[in-house]
Amino acid sequence: MSERVAVVEHSALSESHVAALRELFDSEYRVTHGEWDPDRPYGYSPADVHTTIFRGNRAVAHVGFQRRVIRVGRAEVRIAGTGGVLVHPDWRSEGVGRRVMSHAQQAMRGDERVEFGYLGCRDEVVEFYERTGWSRVNAVERHVSTVDTTKTVTSSGGPILVFAAVADPRGDAPRWPLGDIDLDGTPW
């Protein structure tokens, strides 16, 4: 079966694309987290851009990102907050995750509103992200709670990874600034 990649702005998602994403996410998370809502996925920030790999009409992999300006120390950084990274269990260990991530990273590189990709994850998946070009940074992160949006959560233990989406004029990757991180919203 042939593979098709779609990189689509959230506002341009078709009903069939949303239905395919809902099927993918619900197959993984419905029992524990309820039905997937594209505008507030499990309490996290929604994606502005969806990168999806299809086999036929079935979504088998997804990476989403939301453009946002965050604070790192005293610097403002334009990021693609990355989340909704998921590969259907039937297609894991076939390189589909690496391919969908590569297409999402290309979309980040092609977006002048993005300097870095940014994500938080579990320790068990750090190696996957590092193999696809992400680098771990150590910092204290503040974000709005996904459970109670009137509260702020501060953490320093979870892995934070970044991906340089632009090069400086000399062709070098930009350096991630030092300092505490304020996501100015919920995580992805």
Side-chain angles (χ1 to χ4, degrees):
M1 184 178 296
S2 67
E3 190 171 279
R4 177 175 57 90
V5 178
V7 180
V8 180
E9 289 283 332
H10 184 75
S11 61
L13 286 174
S14 67
E15 287 182 29
S16 63
H17 197 146
V18 170
L21 288 175
R22 181 171 285 114
E23 183 179 333
L24 173 65
F25 280 94
D26 284 352
S27 71
E28 184 80 13
Y29 298 117
R30 185 176 186 131
V31 171
T32 55
H33 294 87
E35 187 173 296
W36 180 74
D37 176 351
D39 296 315
R40 187 143 164 78
Y42 312 117
Y44 291 91
S45 295
D48 290 330
V49 177
H50 298 269
T51 304
T52 311
I53 291 183
F54 288 90
R55 298 254 172 107
N57 291 326
R58 186 173 197 182
V60 299
H62 174 268
V63 174
F65 67 82
Q66 183 189 72
R67 298 174 197 95
R68 186 184 299 168
V69 176
I70 67 170
R71 276 205 121 1
V72 182
R74 293 184 174 179
E76 287 189 341
V77 182
R78 296 173 295 136
I79 61 143
T82 305
V85 180
L86 180 60
V87 175
H88 190 282
D90 294 345
W91 283 277
R92 291 180 185 157
S93 301
E94 294 184 18
V96 176
R98 179 186 46 76
R99 288 193 302 279
V100 74
M101 181 58 72
S102 177
H103 287 286
Q105 289 168 306
Q106 281 180 289
M108 290 175 203
R109 284 187 200 104
D111 190 327
E112 73 267 355
R113 296 166 286 184
V114 174
E115 295 173 281
F116 288 91
Y118 182 98
L119 63 85
C121 65
R122 301 179 322 276
D123 282 317
E124 331 43 284
V125 294
V126 167
E127 187 177 318
F128 164 77
Y129 290 112
E130 290 177 334
R131 284 194 318 265
T132 60
W134 295 77
S135 301
R136 193 167 182 165
V137 296
N138 294 309
V140 172
E141 178 192 88
R142 282 184 304 285
H143 62 266
V144 173
S145 169
T146 59
V147 177
D148 180 352
T149 57
T150 66
K151 298 195 183 316
T152 299
V153 176
T154 302
S155 65
S156 59
I160 299 169
L161 290 102
V162 297
F163 166 79
V166 296
D168 74 15
R170 296 181 312 252
D172 298 326
R175 297 183 93 157
W176 182 258
L178 297 176
D180 291 351
I181 299 166
D182 184 348
L183 295 184
D184 193 29
T186 55
W188 301 272

